[in-house]
Amino acid sequence: MSRPSHTGFPELSEPAIEKGKTIEEVWSGTWVADRLGVRLEQAAAPARSAVAQPPLRELLGLALRRNPKRAHLLVSRILGKHVPQSPATVHAAGRGLGERVADLLGEEAADAVVLGYAETATGLGHSVADGLRVAPYLHSTRRPVPGVEPAGGFEEAHSHATSHLLLPEDPKLLTGSGPLVLVDDEFSTGNTVLNTIRDLHARHPRPRYVVVALVDMRSPADRERLDAFAAELGARIDLVALARGTVSLPEDILAKGQALVEEYESGVARAGRGPAESDPAASDPAASDPVGSGPASCGPAASVRRVGLDWPAGLPDGGRHGFTPAHRARLEAALPVLAARIDAELGVGPRRVLVLGNEELMYAPLRLARALEESGASAGREVRFSTTTRSPVLAVDDPGYAIRTRLAFPAHDDPADGPGERYAYNVAGAGFDAVVAVVDSRADTDALHAPDGLLARLAPHTGQVLLVVVPSYVPGSAAPGSAVPGSAVPSPGQPLPSADAGSSARARPAGRFAPSDRQEPIMTEPLRGPAFSSYPPEDVGWLLQDLSDVELEAPTEEREEAIQAGGAHYAESLPVEYQPSPEYQRLYQSALDASAARIARAVGTVTETVLAERSPSPVLVSLARAGTPVGVLMRRWAQARHGLDLPHYAVSIVRGRGIDANALRWLAAHHDPADVVFVDGWTGKGAITRELRDALAEFDGFDPEIVVLADPGSCVSTYGTRDDFLIPSACLNSTVSGLVSRTVLRSDLVGPADFHGAKFYRELAGADVSVAFVDAVAARFEEVAEAVDADVKELLAADRTPTWEGWAAVERISEEYAIHDVNLVKPGVGETTRVLLRRVPWKILARRGVGADLDHVRLLARQRGVPVEEVDGLPYTCVGLIHPRFTRGATGADGKAVASK
């Protein structure tokens, strides 16, 4: 167990040191110091300081950069970047510095803003803000975010990736006059700080700056330069660090360092260890295995499982766009529960666990690691924390060198500077029983899951790999405290595809359209109730245009004749809305009473499956209009069960015409397409499933796999049930779908920049049951929760590969009944009901012996004069057949069907 030290954080432990040797005997900078003559020299603490300095060797090791701008690298042992360290040590170091800043500023601390540097100091800066307690936090970033205007920027001259952006969600964050606290892991020259202050002071001058670092290693000349710069600005610049010193470098350090790197890497290559030194995944395990681990560490690859978190809705994943004290309070309250999910998934076996963050994503993984450390302390579990990095560093397998091993893998967050290698240091050979890899949702891509990706690189070096995806916060996408694209959700752990299984199953590309389809997204906002639809505005936003004032209805027989003759498309007009008789309304209510719990169970099952598998930040997009009640219910389940406020939109898709491309552009401009989950009510023969897949083939980023409440046709892999039963919302038209019509696509009404259209039937408000329907189902959520948990557990372990059994049945029926057109065969209770309400039905096929689920179908069939034929061997409860050779002469004067000619 660690103990407090004079530095204010627990005593350090030296990983991978030979037994019996002390830190003075084996310092992790010895190898570089001996070969290049680099020396660390401790400086005296300022006279006014009452805080003792820890020895520099406790804080720093040395390594060699693979960088033409600077040869050496000061490797922090308490930062949690390159060297795995106790999360208590990492967080306490930053928090302690923040407390010192608070003491320095006094009353001014209430007006301070903390700014950390990407990527290395993002977690440190956040921890400093924790120590200040009342200060908001922002860190610079190298990741541009569409729609967020930079509030500043600067260069880091010696870095391999130089440009920093400042992207606060609140543009006023950096415009105040209070102290600005700038945090970096080290000061070597002070150039980065000067560049930052120069840029921000020119925009918004302020009288005081505080610079914070773990170590201040500037030369006397660099110190004088900062003092002169402060005088030039007329501002006060204070400096707070754990320790001060200087780095003594020989004049030819750059050339000698580059030569040493080349010599060492050439030697490794000649030894047959491949281009990634100490990377067993890229070379022979026995030859390149790290010290102290033996070949066994490169045995069979560990299992890789995803762990879902109930991340607080609307809580930013870090300080890229700002993190306030209110955010901090919400995170603190949630951490025990978040850690408990990870702890439960780890089980009792792993004794030594690494939580591995990802580049700029340092703070959230650090706090998860610290909470996990606290919860596992009594059981003797040892937790360490580090993160991946962009920094290319030479790895040397020597106790006197700070970077013992290196795992190399491709970037997996679609970086602005293009593809390239990323690294995890001192992980291979460190003896971790489990590694918890934490990434944000933007980094949960194909590349992460690829055979050469991070997860595959980690797997040979540990007993298990858990993947935790924290939602990427998108500024402006939600009000404070509500969910945003990227709201993480709870999800049972389940196996991820193995590295050699291909990456298509885990496709999460960044949301970009194909080059041929790049257009400016339209700026129209979604329609919402009560102006459009009877749903509350928070339940759904309709990505449609309002055509309520356009006469679009045509008699059913006229529409059918025109459609079958090829003279019109079904989406160019609307059927006259069916007005249910009192008898039919009673039947609907009876069906709802009988099936509300069954519907609730299916809603819960499909929602939990989506949260577990599809996206850590789902954006529900229902296919108007049958999918919309389901989308509303899924949103309500997520809200009731998990406190999530998921975005939900309704869009138009038209068979034979595809999905509304302008709606896709709007979604891509406001959300990450990888988070979009398309929702429909049920599958029949799978026509819309195929339509969606074909339509989205032209676009990058959207997952074409539709999710449905019921999948009787076995056409999808994400569903609430595969039973074909009565979904009461299928009994009615607009009066159960927010009083919104079917969608309309007609060239004289829908232009190139328009959404597809629909009508809002305000005049039917007296018969509307839309909200009553979802309320009735939602009222049963609590009673089905236990059954849903069991269903989800079973589904996640099941083979749910679509069999397309329904499609085969439709083709058979089409031939057996001499229809010869699968579009006129409508399988399933929902589709059969639509035939009876909106088309000209010919006959209904019902599975023999079906009872109450078909009461409403039998009633409608009697009203339309349509025969109901009971048959054996039907995979659906029923199938509706549209009149195959329809003209208006095929119906009687009363509009009822007559025999086919």
Side-chain angles (χ1 to χ4, degrees):
M1 299 293 293
S2 59
R3 60 189 185 279
S5 77
H6 61 278
T7 60
F9 50 85
E11 289 284 3
L12 304 175
S13 60
E14 181 73 2
I17 277 189
E18 296 176 357
K19 291 183 178 179
K21 293 193 176 182
T22 67
I23 192 168
E24 288 77 21
E25 292 173 311
V26 184
W27 171 50
S28 59
T30 304
W31 194 92
V32 173
D34 289 348
R35 285 161 177 78
L36 295 182
V38 178
R39 297 289 182 268
L40 302 186
E41 300 174 3
Q42 190 104 20
R48 64 182 182 276
S49 176
V51 181
Q53 295 189 87
L56 285 176
R57 287 190 174 194
E58 285 191 10
L59 303 179
L60 299 172
L62 293 173
L64 294 180
R65 297 174 183 261
R66 295 159 68 229
N67 183 333
K69 298 178 181 180
R70 182 179 286 184
H72 72 289
L73 176 69
L74 299 177
V75 180
S76 174
R77 297 183 53 235
I78 61 172
L79 180 65
K81 193 65 176 174
H82 303 84
V83 178
Q85 183 54 268
S86 161
T89 297
V90 177
H91 190 230
R95 192 180 62 244
L97 286 167
E99 291 169 352
R100 288 171 57 184
V101 173
D103 292 341
L104 174 68
L105 292 176
E107 293 182 357
E108 288 186 87
D111 298 319
V113 175
V114 180
L115 174 62
Y117 287 94
E119 63 176 54
T120 308
T122 58
L124 175 64
H126 213 143
S127 299
V128 169
D130 287 349
L132 274 158
R133 294 184 298 279
V134 295
Y137 175 63
L138 177 74
H139 71 69
S140 65
T141 180
R142 294 188 176 103
R143 179 195 287 181
V145 177
V148 182
E149 289 296 322
F154 51 90
E155 296 296 313
E156 186 177 7
H158 68 268
S159 175
H160 56 283
T162 61
S163 296
H164 289 247
L165 297 171
L166 299 176
L167 303 176
E169 180 173 21
D170 180 0
K172 297 180 181 179
L173 186 65
L174 296 174
T175 63
S177 59
L180 182 63
V181 181
L182 301 104
V183 184
D184 209 349
D185 61 316
E186 64 170 83
F187 299 138
S188 296
T189 65
N191 287 335
T192 303
V193 169
L194 264 63
N195 289 338
T196 309
I197 295 176
R198 181 178 290 110
D199 177 85
L200 294 178
H201 198 79
R203 298 168 187 260
H204 305 287
R206 65 184 71 226
R208 190 168 189 181
Y209 299 87
V210 180
V211 180
V212 181
L214 294 173
V215 292
D216 175 11
M217 304 300 289
R218 293 171 301 151
S219 68
D222 291 328
R223 295 173 192 272
E224 292 174 3
R225 187 156 54 95
L226 183 60
D227 292 341
F229 178 69
E232 175 188 334
L233 293 182
R236 175 177 174 178
I237 302 180
D238 294 294
L239 199 145
V240 177
L242 287 179
R244 298 171 184 248
T246 57
V247 184
S248 296
L249 304 173
E251 292 185 1
D252 56 351
I253 178 68
L254 186 57
K256 289 178 66 175
Q258 290 176 342
L260 188 55
V261 170
E262 183 177 352
E263 175 188 350
Y264 191 83
E265 291 189 331
S266 297
V268 171
R270 286 194 300 272
R273 291 172 62 178
E277 70 280 355
S278 302
D279 185 354
S283 57
D284 176 62
S288 62
D289 193 60
V291 66
S293 63
S297 72
C298 298
S303 63
V304 180
R305 300 194 311 281
R306 179 181 293 268
V307 182
L309 293 184
D310 194 0
W311 186 262
L315 180 67
D317 52 305
R320 180 177 289 114
H321 305 296
F323 199 93
T324 68
H327 291 144
R328 184 176 298 113
R330 295 185 65 211
L331 177 61
E332 295 288 348
L335 279 170
V337 176
L338 302 179
R341 280 188 171 265
I342 300 173
D343 190 69
E345 198 62 36
L346 284 169
V348 297
R351 314 305 296 171
R352 182 170 164 82
V353 176
L354 173 68
V355 177
L356 183 68
N358 182 61
E359 297 191 40
E360 292 179 11
L361 186 70
M362 294 187 69
Y363 183 73
L366 169 62
R367 298 308 310 278
L368 290 171
R370 177 60 183 136
L372 194 64
E373 185 178 42
E374 290 177 322
S375 66
S378 60
R381 175 176 285 164
E382 179 184 288
V383 179
R384 291 292 179 263
F385 166 74
S386 64
T387 71
T388 65
T389 176
R390 291 168 169 251
S391 301
V393 185
L394 178 70
V396 178
D397 192 4
D398 188 286
Y401 189 83
I403 303 296
R404 302 289 298 278
T405 63
R406 180 187 71 154
L407 297 177
F409 53 92
H412 53 85
D413 62 345
D414 190 32
D417 55 353
E421 277 193 334
R422 300 295 187 262
Y423 311 96
Y425 295 116
N426 293 322
V427 176
F432 293 113
D433 301 313
V435 176
V436 181
V438 184
V439 304
D440 63 9
S441 53
R442 178 163 165 179
D444 185 16
T445 61
D446 265 354
L448 175 67
H449 301 269
D452 61 346
L454 172 61
L455 300 180
R457 287 287 191 242
L458 292 171
H461 301 287
T462 186
Q464 58 176 295
V465 177
L466 302 184
L467 174 63
V468 173
V469 181
V470 177
S472 301
Y473 183 74
V474 180
S477 58
S482 64
V484 296
S487 297
V489 293
S491 140
Q494 71 271 5
L496 290 173
S498 60
D500 59 359
S503 59
S504 60
R506 297 256 22 114
R508 300 215 191 276
R512 292 202 177 98
F513 287 95
S516 61
D517 197 47
R518 292 191 184 276
Q519 300 182 23
E520 288 298 317
I522 62 176
M523 301 309 294
T524 303
E525 288 302 303
L527 301 173
R528 294 185 183 272
F532 185 90
S533 93
S534 60
Y535 289 120
E538 65 272 13
D539 269 351
V540 60
W542 303 81
L543 296 178
L544 298 169
Q545 61 167 316
D546 188 355
L547 300 179
S548 299
D549 296 332
V550 181
E551 187 67 34
L552 291 167
E553 290 77 12
T556 300
E557 291 76 15
E558 289 184 12
R559 293 183 75 248
E560 194 65 50
E561 183 174 16
I563 291 168
Q564 291 198 30
H569 190 277
Y570 78 88
E572 292 179 346
S573 62
L574 293 174
V576 177
E577 281 284 307
Y578 169 76
Q579 296 304 301
S581 65
E583 182 185 7
Y584 190 85
Q585 289 177 324
R586 288 193 298 271
L587 190 150
Y588 160 80
Q589 189 59 49
S590 174
L592 177 58
D593 294 342
S595 62
R598 195 175 183 184
I599 298 293
R601 182 171 175 176
V603 167
T605 300
V606 70
T607 307
E608 294 291 346
T609 305
V610 166
L611 302 183
E613 294 184 332
R614 290 293 301 274
S615 171
S617 51
V619 176
L620 302 177
V621 178
S622 57
L623 303 182
R625 69 186 167 183
T628 305
V630 179
V632 171
L633 283 166
M634 290 177 67
R635 182 180 178 278
R636 291 197 178 189
W637 175 277
Q639 192 170 48
R641 192 83 188 276
H642 305 300
L644 299 174
D645 190 13
L646 301 182
H648 174 216
Y649 306 98
V651 303
S652 169
I653 187 169
V654 177
R655 181 170 50 81
R657 304 283 180 87
I659 197 167
D660 187 339
N662 285 324
L664 294 184
R665 294 187 182 95
W666 190 96
L667 289 166
H670 293 79
H671 301 282
D672 184 347
D675 293 331
V676 169
V677 176
F678 292 98
V679 176
D680 207 357
W682 55 83
T683 63
K685 54 182 175 288
I688 292 298
T689 303
R690 294 170 186 256
E691 188 75 42
L692 181 65
R693 181 187 305 152
D694 292 345
L696 292 178
E698 302 179 18
F699 305 103
D700 293 333
F702 291 99
D703 189 334
E705 175 71 24
I706 198 172
V707 309
V708 296
L709 190 67
D711 179 36
S714 188
C715 304
V716 301
S717 60
T718 306
Y719 50 85
T721 178
R722 276 185 169 156
D723 294 341
D724 184 20
F725 68 101
L726 172 60
I727 300 173
S729 60
C731 292
L732 302 170
N733 284 324
S734 68
T735 53
V736 79
S737 302
L739 296 181
V740 175
S741 74
R742 291 200 58 157
T743 60
V744 174
L745 178 59
R746 208 169 77 189
S747 59
D748 61 326
L749 298 173
V750 179
D754 294 330
F755 292 140
H756 294 187
K759 298 185 72 168
F760 175 29
Y761 291 119
R762 299 169 178 84
E763 64 275 17
L764 299 182
D768 185 33
V769 296
S770 302
V771 175
F773 168 71
V774 294
D775 284 348
V777 176
R780 313 299 285 272
F781 284 168
E782 188 63 32
E783 72 180 74
V784 302
E786 186 174 340
V788 167
D789 290 341
D791 289 346
V792 172
K793 183 177 180 180
E794 182 178 346
L795 277 177
L796 293 179
D799 179 6
R800 292 172 281 136
T801 304
T803 64
W804 293 91
E805 176 186 10
W807 184 267
V810 166
E811 291 182 322
R812 174 174 54 79
I813 291 169
S814 176
E815 295 306 310
E816 285 182 1
Y817 285 82
I819 297 173
H820 308 302
D821 183 353
V822 292
N823 290 323
L824 301 181
V825 180
K826 302 295 184 180
V829 176
E831 293 300 305
T832 299
T833 304
R834 285 178 164 186
V835 169
L836 289 164
L837 294 179
R838 299 201 299 246
R839 302 295 291 270
V840 176
W842 181 36
K843 61 179 64 178
I844 306 299
L845 308 182
R847 186 193 301 152
R848 195 177 306 280
V850 173
D853 273 346
L854 286 188
D855 284 351
H856 77 294
V857 168
R858 294 187 180 98
L859 175 59
L860 284 175
R862 286 198 303 272
Q863 291 177 345
R864 297 293 304 272
V866 178
V868 177
E869 178 181 328
E870 290 198 345
V871 296
D872 296 313
L874 198 64
Y876 298 93
T877 300
C878 61
V879 175
L881 305 182
I882 296 173
H883 203 295
R885 286 172 289 279
F886 177 78
T887 67
R888 271 167 286 183
T891 61
D894 59 359
K896 294 180 179 179
V898 296
S900 174
K901 304 299 185 196

